[in-house]
Amino acid sequence: MKQFKIALLSFCTWLLPTMLFATHAFIPLSPEEEQWIENHPTISVANDPAWAPFDFTKEGKAQGLGIDYIELVAHKVGLNIQYVHAPWSELFERFKVRNIDVVHSVYKTAEREKFALFTQPFYENANAIAMRKGLQIATLRDLEHKRIALIKGHGLSETLLKDVPSIVPIEVNDLKEALHAVSFDKADALISSLGAISYIVMEEALPNLEIEPFDALNKDVSSQLYFATTPNQPILRDILNKGLQAITPQEQTAIKSRWLLQTNA
């Protein structure tokens, strides 16, 4: 079985913003898109404090892989960002009633497509299961009647409840709380992003947890991460797509190297 290691490369943290924003290539926007930006120079963007390494808050500042992507895209198309800092469940509800323009680093589901417009994906985010050492969970069937930590408002939580209705849901507010629940035997397992799980397990020093790839989920939930806008702003979605398409391979590498390095052993 493939083994994964996540290594944080903090030595380039101070250098990356300078590298990413050193050049500004011209991006052709339509007259309608240019007018939209002139009328809406600042967009509100969600910042979840506890979705490291994709989206989190440190010393009051939004950080993460997804933050670097949205800031680079905004720079390329000429938009300013105002972050809205709150727990994900609150951000998600505010987005649904159109009080926030953009959420990022999110999964696309059929349910979410009812109230959100998604850009093209910007990152392939492998799923993994975290469980205490000694447990054997490899398939969806193995989850039946198990206590599974479910993060409020997360796409994977929605899918697990649908696909395995016999699970015993243990509702938590964020990934850190979920991993602690598993570590301290309040839940049997958690399914989430490989990168996010590995980051927090290292940060929190939870040596009794085992992390394994878990790709048995219903494909209604993509493993890719997206930006999403409210449904009344298709022009903003199109502008963000143009910014994503303008990101160079070098910029992609710089962002990913800042936050995680995934290797097969």
Side-chain angles (χ1 to χ4, degrees):
M1 181 178 290
K2 292 181 179 179
Q3 299 296 319
F4 295 87
K5 295 181 181 179
I6 301 295
L8 302 179
L9 304 182
S10 58
F11 65 89
C12 64
T13 298
W14 64 273
L15 183 60
L16 184 75
T18 302
M19 294 168 56
L20 292 181
F21 301 139
T23 60
H24 178 54
F26 173 73
I27 297 177
L29 299 175
S30 70
E32 187 179 21
E33 290 166 343
E34 291 177 347
Q35 186 63 54
W36 193 96
I37 292 174
E38 184 176 337
N39 294 339
H40 310 85
T42 301
I43 58 173
S44 57
V45 175
N47 176 218
D48 180 350
W51 181 228
F54 303 104
D55 183 23
F56 64 106
T57 306
K58 187 173 183 179
E59 298 177 353
K61 178 177 171 55
Q63 296 191 28
L65 181 142
I67 294 294
D68 282 355
Y69 269 100
I70 192 68
E71 290 189 352
L72 180 57
V73 166
H75 175 75
K76 286 179 177 291
V77 301
L79 283 167
N80 301 308
I81 292 175
Q82 179 179 349
Y83 287 110
V84 181
H85 309 280
W88 172 247
S89 56
E90 179 182 334
L91 292 170
F92 191 57
E93 291 305 315
R94 291 179 65 175
F95 175 76
K96 288 168 69 174
V97 297
R98 305 182 183 183
N99 284 337
I100 296 175
D101 296 319
V102 177
V103 292
H104 68 91
S105 305
V106 295
Y107 297 110
K108 180 165 69 171
T109 69
E111 179 62 28
R112 289 178 175 182
E113 287 186 284
K114 297 176 183 178
F115 56 83
L117 298 176
F118 289 87
T119 64
Q120 68 185 55
F122 67 89
Y123 181 72
E124 183 73 32
N125 190 30
N127 293 318
I129 186 166
M131 53 194 163
R132 287 184 309 287
K133 291 180 179 178
L135 286 179
Q136 296 294 323
I137 300 177
T139 68
L140 285 178
R141 189 168 186 176
D142 294 336
L143 297 176
E144 293 178 355
H145 309 296
K146 295 288 195 305
R147 300 168 300 163
I148 306 301
L150 300 179
I151 302 170
K152 296 176 185 176
H154 272 216
L156 289 178
S157 299
E158 301 166 14
T159 297
L160 284 169
L161 285 170
K162 175 183 174 183
D163 290 351
V164 194
S166 64
I167 65 172
V168 179
I170 306 298
E171 196 169 68
V172 296
N173 292 308
D174 55 45
L175 185 56
K176 182 187 291 187
E177 183 181 343
L179 286 166
H180 277 272
V182 176
S183 181
F184 292 99
D185 199 18
K186 296 179 181 178
D188 296 313
L190 158 79
I191 298 171
S192 188
S193 151
L194 171 65
I197 289 175
S198 299
Y199 184 98
I200 293 179
V201 166
M202 286 190 297
E203 287 282 299
E204 295 294 306
L206 301 172
N208 67 327
L209 296 186
E210 183 174 347
I211 304 169
E212 296 287 348
F214 195 86
D215 57 5
L217 293 175
N218 187 308
K219 297 309 176 184
D220 285 346
V221 174
S222 170
S223 60
Q224 296 171 315
L225 297 182
Y226 296 78
F227 301 157
T229 70
T230 53
N232 60 321
Q233 301 194 90
I235 296 177
L236 175 57
R237 186 269 314 273
D238 295 343
I239 292 169
L240 295 177
N241 264 333
K242 287 187 175 181
L244 284 169
Q245 291 160 10
I247 294 177
T248 67
Q250 293 80 10
E251 290 167 336
Q252 294 259 13
T253 298
I255 292 175
K256 292 174 183 177
S257 295
R258 184 185 188 191
W259 297 109
L260 50 89
L261 176 64
Q262 182 171 303
T263 60
N264 295 339

